[in-house]
Amino acid sequence: IIPRSAHGTNPASAAMCDMQIKWIDDSKGMDLQEFKQLCEAHKDNLAALMVTYPSTRAFFEDNIQEICQIVHDNGGQVYMDGANMNAQLGLTSPGMIGADVCHLNLHKTFSIPHGGGGP
């Protein structure tokens, strides 16, 4: 499951692994009832929620802990795209929200050139 606000690399990564992508609108925050129904409908093959937190639109999902729990309750994992990790400092952390795994973008988190800056 991938929110519509996701960076394009998120669905691309899932597609490269031959996963079926299910989208959910998050333009006004995720609708918990719709999200729960989506998770329940796919609980037999739910791999993960891939979520950027805070979102690419720069907002913190109000119900992120409940969202993560719904995924876990339906057999999935939460993959957090840490593209905006600096925005979390002092406010939250991947563990606090319930993410199972998180990646960081060094070029954003530590202000280095894209790709690490060379050899």
mmCIF file of all heavy atoms in Angstrom, residues 1 34-44 46 67 70-71 74:
data_model
loop_
_atom_site.group_PDB
_atom_site.id
_atom_site.type_symbol
_atom_site.label_atom_id
_atom_site.label_comp_id
_atom_site.label_asym_id
_atom_site.label_seq_id
_atom_site.Cartn_x
_atom_site.Cartn_y
_atom_site.Cartn_z
ATOM 1 N N ILE A 1 0.863 -1.172 0.000
ATOM 2 C CA ILE A 1 0.000 0.000 0.000
ATOM 3 C C ILE A 1 0.904 1.228 0.000
ATOM 4 O O ILE A 1 1.836 1.312 0.801
ATOM 5 C CB ILE A 1 -0.923 0.017 1.239
ATOM 6 C CG1 ILE A 1 -1.820 -1.222 1.241
ATOM 7 C CG2 ILE A 1 -1.743 1.312 1.263
ATOM 8 C CD1 ILE A 1 -2.649 -1.392 2.504
ATOM 9 N N GLU A 34 -11.179 3.791 5.282
ATOM 10 C CA GLU A 34 -10.786 3.331 3.940
ATOM 11 C C GLU A 34 -9.483 2.534 4.013
ATOM 12 O O GLU A 34 -9.343 1.485 3.380
ATOM 13 C CB GLU A 34 -10.622 4.526 3.004
ATOM 14 C CG GLU A 34 -10.199 4.150 1.606
ATOM 15 C CD GLU A 34 -9.914 5.356 0.720
ATOM 16 O OE1 GLU A 34 -10.184 6.508 1.136
ATOM 17 O OE2 GLU A 34 -9.402 5.138 -0.392
ATOM 18 N N PHE A 35 -8.531 3.018 4.815
ATOM 19 C CA PHE A 35 -7.245 2.339 4.953
ATOM 20 C C PHE A 35 -7.429 0.957 5.583
ATOM 21 O O PHE A 35 -6.864 -0.036 5.114
ATOM 22 C CB PHE A 35 -6.281 3.189 5.779
ATOM 23 C CG PHE A 35 -4.923 2.580 5.897
ATOM 24 C CD1 PHE A 35 -4.057 2.570 4.815
ATOM 25 C CD2 PHE A 35 -4.512 1.998 7.079
ATOM 26 C CE1 PHE A 35 -2.799 1.990 4.905
ATOM 27 C CE2 PHE A 35 -3.266 1.419 7.189
ATOM 28 C CZ PHE A 35 -2.398 1.415 6.097
ATOM 29 N N LYS A 36 -8.229 0.895 6.618
ATOM 30 C CA LYS A 36 -8.476 -0.382 7.299
ATOM 31 C C LYS A 36 -9.124 -1.377 6.339
ATOM 32 O O LYS A 36 -8.751 -2.555 6.297
ATOM 33 C CB LYS A 36 -9.353 -0.163 8.530
ATOM 34 C CG LYS A 36 -9.489 -1.373 9.406
ATOM 35 C CD LYS A 36 -10.209 -1.034 10.696
ATOM 36 C CE LYS A 36 -10.211 -2.238 11.621
ATOM 37 N NZ LYS A 36 -10.826 -1.947 12.912
ATOM 38 N N GLN A 37 -10.086 -0.924 5.562
ATOM 39 C CA GLN A 37 -10.749 -1.790 4.582
ATOM 40 C C GLN A 37 -9.761 -2.298 3.535
ATOM 41 O O GLN A 37 -9.810 -3.468 3.144
ATOM 42 C CB GLN A 37 -11.907 -1.053 3.909
ATOM 43 C CG GLN A 37 -13.087 -0.832 4.826
ATOM 44 C CD GLN A 37 -14.148 0.067 4.215
ATOM 45 O OE1 GLN A 37 -13.951 0.687 3.171
ATOM 46 N NE2 GLN A 37 -15.291 0.144 4.875
ATOM 47 N N LEU A 38 -8.860 -1.429 3.094
ATOM 48 C CA LEU A 38 -7.855 -1.819 2.107
ATOM 49 C C LEU A 38 -6.925 -2.883 2.679
ATOM 50 O O LEU A 38 -6.623 -3.886 2.024
ATOM 51 C CB LEU A 38 -7.059 -0.588 1.657
ATOM 52 C CG LEU A 38 -6.038 -0.775 0.550
ATOM 53 C CD1 LEU A 38 -6.680 -1.280 -0.734
ATOM 54 C CD2 LEU A 38 -5.318 0.550 0.295
ATOM 55 N N CYS A 39 -6.480 -2.687 3.909
ATOM 56 C CA CYS A 39 -5.608 -3.669 4.563
ATOM 57 C C CYS A 39 -6.318 -4.999 4.757
ATOM 58 O O CYS A 39 -5.742 -6.067 4.483
ATOM 59 C CB CYS A 39 -5.115 -3.140 5.911
ATOM 60 S SG CYS A 39 -3.905 -1.825 5.798
ATOM 61 N N GLU A 40 -7.555 -4.953 5.216
ATOM 62 C CA GLU A 40 -8.309 -6.178 5.458
ATOM 63 C C GLU A 40 -8.581 -6.936 4.158
ATOM 64 O O GLU A 40 -8.521 -8.166 4.124
ATOM 65 C CB GLU A 40 -9.613 -5.869 6.185
ATOM 66 C CG GLU A 40 -9.392 -5.467 7.632
ATOM 67 C CD GLU A 40 -10.647 -4.961 8.332
ATOM 68 O OE1 GLU A 40 -11.695 -4.774 7.676
ATOM 69 O OE2 GLU A 40 -10.573 -4.754 9.563
ATOM 70 N N ALA A 41 -8.844 -6.197 3.082
ATOM 71 C CA ALA A 41 -9.113 -6.832 1.786
ATOM 72 C C ALA A 41 -7.890 -7.563 1.240
ATOM 73 O O ALA A 41 -8.024 -8.499 0.456
ATOM 74 C CB ALA A 41 -9.591 -5.780 0.783
ATOM 75 N N HIS A 42 -6.708 -7.160 1.668
ATOM 76 C CA HIS A 42 -5.466 -7.742 1.146
ATOM 77 C C HIS A 42 -4.628 -8.422 2.219
ATOM 78 O O HIS A 42 -3.446 -8.686 2.016
ATOM 79 C CB HIS A 42 -4.654 -6.654 0.433
ATOM 80 C CG HIS A 42 -5.384 -6.092 -0.740
ATOM 81 N ND1 HIS A 42 -5.468 -6.749 -1.945
ATOM 82 C CD2 HIS A 42 -6.117 -4.964 -0.872
ATOM 83 C CE1 HIS A 42 -6.211 -6.045 -2.779
ATOM 84 N NE2 HIS A 42 -6.617 -4.952 -2.155
ATOM 85 N N LYS A 43 -5.248 -8.761 3.352
ATOM 86 C CA LYS A 43 -4.481 -9.295 4.476
ATOM 87 C C LYS A 43 -3.783 -10.612 4.166
ATOM 88 O O LYS A 43 -2.771 -10.933 4.777
ATOM 89 C CB LYS A 43 -5.345 -9.421 5.723
ATOM 90 C CG LYS A 43 -6.423 -10.466 5.645
ATOM 91 C CD LYS A 43 -7.213 -10.478 6.932
ATOM 92 C CE LYS A 43 -8.365 -11.454 6.830
ATOM 93 N NZ LYS A 43 -9.188 -11.396 8.019
ATOM 94 N N ASP A 44 -4.279 -11.369 3.214
ATOM 95 C CA ASP A 44 -3.632 -12.640 2.873
ATOM 96 C C ASP A 44 -2.329 -12.460 2.102
ATOM 97 O O ASP A 44 -1.533 -13.393 2.033
ATOM 98 C CB ASP A 44 -4.584 -13.530 2.068
ATOM 99 C CG ASP A 44 -5.764 -14.016 2.911
ATOM 100 O OD1 ASP A 44 -5.631 -14.054 4.158
ATOM 101 O OD2 ASP A 44 -6.813 -14.326 2.325
ATOM 102 N N LEU A 46 -0.712 -9.004 2.100
ATOM 103 C CA LEU A 46 -0.235 -7.652 2.400
ATOM 104 C C LEU A 46 1.230 -7.705 2.820
ATOM 105 O O LEU A 46 1.578 -8.317 3.823
ATOM 106 C CB LEU A 46 -1.077 -7.030 3.526
ATOM 107 C CG LEU A 46 -0.663 -5.634 3.994
ATOM 108 C CD1 LEU A 46 -0.754 -4.628 2.859
ATOM 109 C CD2 LEU A 46 -1.526 -5.200 5.170
ATOM 110 N N ILE A 67 -2.288 3.883 12.046
ATOM 111 C CA ILE A 67 -2.089 3.374 10.680
ATOM 112 C C ILE A 67 -1.087 2.222 10.696
ATOM 113 O O ILE A 67 -1.326 1.169 10.096
ATOM 114 C CB ILE A 67 -1.635 4.516 9.750
ATOM 115 C CG1 ILE A 67 -2.815 5.465 9.497
ATOM 116 C CG2 ILE A 67 -1.046 3.984 8.449
ATOM 117 C CD1 ILE A 67 -2.435 6.791 8.886
ATOM 118 N N ILE A 70 -2.678 -0.879 12.208
ATOM 119 C CA ILE A 70 -3.609 -1.533 11.287
ATOM 120 C C ILE A 70 -2.840 -2.424 10.312
ATOM 121 O O ILE A 70 -3.245 -3.552 10.036
ATOM 122 C CB ILE A 70 -4.462 -0.488 10.537
ATOM 123 C CG1 ILE A 70 -5.440 0.196 11.505
ATOM 124 C CG2 ILE A 70 -5.213 -1.134 9.367
ATOM 125 C CD1 ILE A 70 -6.137 1.420 10.939
ATOM 126 N N VAL A 71 -1.712 -1.931 9.815
ATOM 127 C CA VAL A 71 -0.878 -2.734 8.915
ATOM 128 C C VAL A 71 -0.405 -3.991 9.631
ATOM 129 O O VAL A 71 -0.522 -5.107 9.112
ATOM 130 C CB VAL A 71 0.324 -1.919 8.386
ATOM 131 C CG1 VAL A 71 1.279 -2.799 7.601
ATOM 132 C CG2 VAL A 71 -0.151 -0.758 7.533
ATOM 133 N N ASN A 74 -2.892 -6.726 10.166
ATOM 134 C CA ASN A 74 -3.255 -7.435 8.946
ATOM 135 C C ASN A 74 -2.065 -8.137 8.300
ATOM 136 O O ASN A 74 -2.101 -8.489 7.123
ATOM 137 C CB ASN A 74 -3.941 -6.482 7.970
ATOM 138 C CG ASN A 74 -5.346 -6.157 8.429
ATOM 139 O OD1 ASN A 74 -6.259 -6.938 8.227
ATOM 140 N ND2 ASN A 74 -5.514 -5.020 9.088
#
